[in-house]
Amino acid sequence: MKKVAIVGGGAAGLMAAVGVLEKEAVPVIFEKNRRLGLKLLITGKGRCNLTNDLEIPEFVENFPGNGTFLYSSLYNFSNHQLLDFFAELNVPTKMERGGRFFPESDKAGDVVGALTDYIVKKGAQIKYNTRVEQLWLEKGKLQGIKAGGNFYRFTSVIIAAGGLSYPKTGSTGDGYKLAREAGHTIVDPFPSLVPLKTKEKWVAQVQGLTLKNVQVTAFWHDKELGSEFGEMLFTHFGVSGPIILSLSRTIVQTLKTKGGPIKIRINLKPALDFAQLDARLQRVFSEFSKKQYKNTLDSLFPKSLIEPIILLSGIDPHKPAHQISKEERSRLANLIQSLELTIIGFSSYDEAIVTAGGVSVKEVDPSTMESKILKGLFFAGETLDIDGYTGGYNLQAAFSTGYLAGQSAGEYTGAHMHNI
Ligand SMILES: Cc1cc2nc3c(=O)[nH]c(=O)nc-3n(C[C@H](O)[C@H](O)[C@H](O)COP(=O)(O)OP(=O)(O)OC[C@H]3O[C@@H](n4cnc5c(N)ncnc54)[C@H](O)[C@@H]3O)c2cc1C
């Protein structure tokens, strides 16, 4: 009987077991935690945004990290096949804003539970609390793995050990170490989808404030790095929220490779051009002409943002609105369209949703997930140098690469090996 070792029981490892079972081989999942899918349980704030409705070509565009590598695995096991699969497992799903799919129950636990029950019923073995320490190689050939001090012989091995993000869930970079043992190149990992730190301390004053429908553009010197429209959030040390997380990849990469300065400019009223905004300010100041400047801004900004805006505009807060000059009004309009923050850093892996970088995809066959360096070795999930934006892309990538790696590893006969 062919036996396949799966290193890691996260999204990719669990779905790899499904693929292995389909090929009538036996998957053995080695999971260092005492339960499976710890990270899966906290995805989508505990609701698990398991995939997205986009067609595959657009789906792939949502991976700033090596999306095209995913074509074969996504066509082999698409988002719609994933949803059908979960429907068969009695986990019906629903679509929300932005094509994001969640279990109807809003419980990530249902996804983990259904997957676990399915693979166990079909004959998968699970070794809990068992960390895979190294690959078992003899004369350059893969024999199996070493875990808990023991050597275990396997026909093939799938590394699905995740990246470095949220290390408390078990993803501590072991996949990279194992891949290195086989001779693989690791593209320098870095945290992505991560909150950013700003030089400006005033952000702490507005922490918790969410801004909707704003445009944020990032610059390295004068070069535009990217621009996103949507929702952002202030934290006690900087900025976060969906559009900041999306921009974080290019910002972190630039900070790491080229250094600063990196600025983000927030357009608080992107629907208005400068003239329209100026006209709006003019109307506000004439409506409240007798009020002091500091008391005229309620209709323009959320309450907590008013004080920082007043300070940054440099206009005397006690000045009556009718005395505000054209030049001062222009300065305020400019500030509203280009509220600037300096990015000086980013949060650690503890707060990064995904890890960019990882096992170089150049050394992995995208149509099988097999290593091009060591026969019988396969990769799946975030251990690979792939990373997507938020929206269900990362989990679908883990599921699709996991399933394909499982099928391929399950079919692999490893003629040179002794099967158990
Ligand atoms: C807070 C948060 C929310 C997220 N929300 C979403 C979302 O809603 N939608 C989405 O698409 N993506 C989301 N993601 C990203 C997504 O969870 C990951 O991309 C995905 O889980 C990666 O799956 P994986 O199986 O490759 O790795 P992981 O889920 O990290 O699983 C790896 C497993 O391997 C085990 N392991 C590691 N080393 C060893 C070893 N040596 N021996 C044995 N076991 C080992 C670990 O314990 C772990 O269980 C979120 C991430 C975070 C952190």
Side-chain angles (χ1 to χ4, degrees), residues 262-279:
I262 289 187
K263 308 261 187 203
I264 59 166
R265 293 191 190 127
I266 307 167
N267 186 343
L268 297 166
K269 305 279 177 206
L272 305 177
D273 65 22
F274 187 84
Q276 288 167 324
L277 179 58
D278 189 51

Side-chain angles (χ1 to χ4, degrees), residues 112-399:
V112 180
L115 264 173
T116 310
D117 289 351
Y118 175 85
I119 61 168
V120 169
K121 223 177 261 167
K122 295 243 169 193
Q125 296 170 23
I126 300 163
K127 296 205 179 287
Y128 292 99
N129 297 312
T130 314
R131 177 171 170 258
V132 173
E133 290 139 18
Q134 62 183 71
L135 295 176
W136 175 14
L137 296 164
E138 268 176 23
K139 294 191 183 128
K141 293 206 166 125
L142 182 63
Q143 308 295 325
I145 52 123
K146 186 183 173 202
N150 299 311
F151 287 91
Y152 296 88
R153 194 178 286 283
F154 281 98
T155 321
S156 51
V157 176
I158 301 172
I159 298 180
L164 283 159
S165 307
Y166 276 64
K168 282 189 192 127
T169 64
S171 324
T172 53
D174 284 5
Y176 308 148
K177 183 187 147 291
L178 297 171
R180 264 195 207 100
E181 287 170 15
H184 276 274
T185 312
I186 308 302
V187 175
D188 230 2
F190 61 92
S192 185
L193 305 183
V194 68
L196 301 172
K197 292 181 186 162
T198 60
K199 188 169 105 191
E200 293 76 8
K201 300 282 178 248
W202 63 261
V203 294
Q205 237 177 294
V206 293
Q207 62 176 292
L209 172 68
T210 296
L211 297 176
K212 289 191 173 142
N213 303 322
V214 293
Q215 184 82 37
V216 178
T217 310
F219 295 88
W220 178 72
H221 294 277
D222 284 335
K223 184 175 177 275
E224 187 179 317
L225 294 174
S227 191
E228 296 280 341
F229 174 81
E231 191 175 312
M232 65 164 282
L233 168 79
F234 289 97
T235 67
H236 62 286
F237 57 78
V239 284
S240 187
I243 59 175
I244 297 296
L245 295 184
S246 291
L247 286 167
S248 70
R249 188 187 201 275
T250 173
I251 291 177
V252 172
Q253 201 174 25
T254 307
L255 277 175
K256 280 185 75 123
T257 55
K258 301 181 179 163
I262 289 187
K263 308 261 187 203
I264 59 166
R265 293 191 190 127
I266 307 167
N267 186 343
L268 297 166
K269 305 279 177 206
L272 305 177
D273 65 22
F274 187 84
Q276 288 167 324
L277 179 58
D278 189 51
R280 170 103 191 263
L281 293 178
Q282 228 171 334
R283 275 201 307 279
V284 168
F285 293 149
S286 65
E287 188 183 341
F288 302 112
S289 64
K290 297 220 170 75
K291 282 193 172 182
Q292 293 182 341
Y293 167 54
K294 69 180 171 101
N295 296 326
T296 59
L297 301 175
D298 290 4
S299 65
L300 288 166
F301 309 107
K303 217 175 176 43
S304 58
L305 199 57
I306 293 177
E307 206 182 306
I309 290 279
I310 289 172
L311 267 174
L312 293 165
S313 71
I315 304 170
D316 175 0
H318 304 289
K319 197 179 228 186
H322 65 89
Q323 282 180 19
I324 293 171
S325 68
K326 188 162 185 276
E327 188 272 326
E328 284 172 324
R329 212 176 54 229
S330 293
R331 215 158 64 212
L332 178 60
N334 272 321
L335 180 68
I336 295 171
Q337 292 198 318
S338 191
L339 180 59
E340 193 172 275
L341 291 167
T342 313
I343 306 299
I344 51 166
F346 44 90
S347 298
S348 70
Y349 282 112
D350 288 347
E351 289 179 69
I353 303 286
V354 289
T355 308
V359 175
S360 169
V361 294
K362 290 188 190 132
E363 297 165 358
V364 179
D365 181 346
S367 62
T368 59
M369 295 294 140
E370 187 172 13
S371 159
K372 290 180 184 171
I373 293 177
L374 183 65
K375 281 204 147 312
L377 182 66
F378 298 80
F379 292 99
E382 211 175 303
T383 292
L384 288 161
D385 178 17
I386 46 171
D387 60 281
Y389 291 128
T390 56
Y393 306 105
N394 288 297
L395 277 177
Q396 178 71 47
F399 288 134

